[in-house]
Amino acid sequence: MEKDEEQEEQHRNFFRLRYNEPEMPTFLWDGESFRVSEISEQGIRIEVKADTQIVDGEVIAGVIQFDDGGEIEIQGKPLRREEDELVIKLHHGVELKIMNKEQIRIRKKYSRD
């Protein structure tokens, strides 16, 4: 396996929480708000507009606001842009306990039990 393939496989070992549209948290960055479509222990994916300017190597710092009122500060660098989404690799990832809390909140909201 080549090094790039190994790194990509390693990144996939982290739990990812993909949000449905109405459940997406808000990411406040540089005076604008963006919807968070996915979080993991190592990164986030946000929806961006076509005219959103991203500078390679730029440090992106902001606050994720969750539906339950919780907030976390994050910092990272753009990893890649995929059409209308930007993937950001975080310097310090989202804690697993926060991701678990979000997953439980969403399950309770949509559970049919």
Side-chain angles (χ1 to χ4, degrees):
M1 185 180 297
E2 291 184 23
K3 189 172 185 172
D4 287 342
E5 290 175 14
E6 276 183 35
Q7 288 176 336
E8 184 64 25
E9 186 173 315
Q10 185 71 4
H11 289 294
R12 298 283 180 204
N13 289 334
F14 296 103
F15 174 74
R16 295 165 187 256
L17 177 58
R18 184 81 177 171
Y19 286 95
N20 292 327
E21 195 167 322
E23 299 303 323
M24 291 181 183
T26 301
F27 177 54
L28 303 175
W29 164 47
D30 200 26
E32 293 189 55
S33 63
F34 302 85
R35 293 165 20 132
V36 178
S37 58
E38 184 178 277
I39 61 173
S40 77
E41 293 174 79
Q42 294 295 309
I44 65 170
R45 183 182 295 257
I46 62 172
E47 293 183 345
V48 292
K49 300 173 189 131
D51 63 348
T52 302
Q53 298 296 313
I54 307 299
V55 178
D56 284 340
E58 170 185 19
V59 173
I60 295 173
V63 175
I64 298 176
Q65 296 178 325
F66 294 98
D67 203 42
D68 68 356
E71 295 183 344
I72 58 169
E73 292 184 23
I74 60 139
Q75 277 190 5
K77 291 191 176 182
L79 188 60
R80 67 183 175 277
R81 190 171 185 156
E82 297 175 352
E83 297 180 23
D84 62 347
E85 292 185 319
L86 177 66
V87 177
I88 302 168
K89 179 161 178 29
L90 300 177
H91 295 152
H92 301 284
V94 177
E95 292 180 21
L96 187 57
K97 69 179 182 178
I98 293 171
M99 293 174 41
N100 287 338
K101 182 178 173 185
E102 278 291 279
Q103 186 179 28
I104 290 168
R105 180 186 66 79
I106 291 168
R107 279 187 174 169
K108 282 182 179 178
K109 186 172 183 177
Y110 292 99
S111 176
R112 294 186 180 180
D113 294 340

